[in-house]
Amino acid sequence: MLKWVVLVVGIGANAGASILIKIAVSRIETPGISWLDIALSPSLVVGLILYGITFAAYALALAHLPLHVVHPVLTAGAIAVVAASSVFVFNEFVSLPVLIGIMLVSLGVILITIGTKQ
């Protein structure tokens, strides 16, 4: 059970990192904001820390689950969370084909996890 919790933590950390880095770099168009300001911004720093947590969770999950499960679940899970977050956090438009694709990817992840005997 703990191995799946670690994987979910990895998904959340991965998605959180992407969202925070998007927040940090979205300020680049603001007058007076330099790349140094962005590099030192809390959202970018925390985003990078979350990527480190993602890597640690990925490595820990690999110690207990097969690669063919860990990689697709972590990647696809993060894709689904980031896509949903992009709508709610950044008001980005997600088309119907993209939504269908996310649902198909999610279905694939469900089938992978159900088919895993570990």
Side-chain angles (χ1 to χ4, degrees):
M1 178 64 172
L2 185 59
K3 56 192 166 200
W4 295 106
V5 171
V6 169
L7 207 48
V8 170
V9 167
I11 291 168
N14 191 339
S18 294
I19 292 163
L20 287 172
I21 291 170
K22 168 73 174 180
I23 289 169
V25 300
S26 66
R27 297 177 41 217
I28 194 61
E29 299 295 322
T30 305
I33 298 290
S34 69
W35 277 104
L36 182 60
D37 295 326
I38 290 171
L40 298 175
S41 71
S43 52
L44 184 73
V45 172
V46 173
L48 293 174
I49 290 168
L50 285 176
Y51 273 135
I53 292 169
T54 300
F55 178 78
Y58 180 73
L60 188 57
L62 282 175
H64 301 284
L65 290 165
L67 176 62
H68 76 273
V69 172
V70 173
H71 188 76
V73 170
L74 183 71
T75 304
I79 289 169
V81 172
V82 168
S85 298
S86 71
V87 172
F88 296 111
V89 176
F90 301 108
N91 295 319
E92 295 178 354
F93 175 75
V94 177
S95 67
L96 182 60
V98 171
L99 288 175
I100 292 170
I102 291 168
M103 288 189 300
L104 290 172
V105 166
S106 299
L107 177 61
V109 167
I110 290 167
L111 291 174
I112 288 169
T113 56
I114 288 172
T116 302
K117 297 182 188 229
Q118 292 188 9

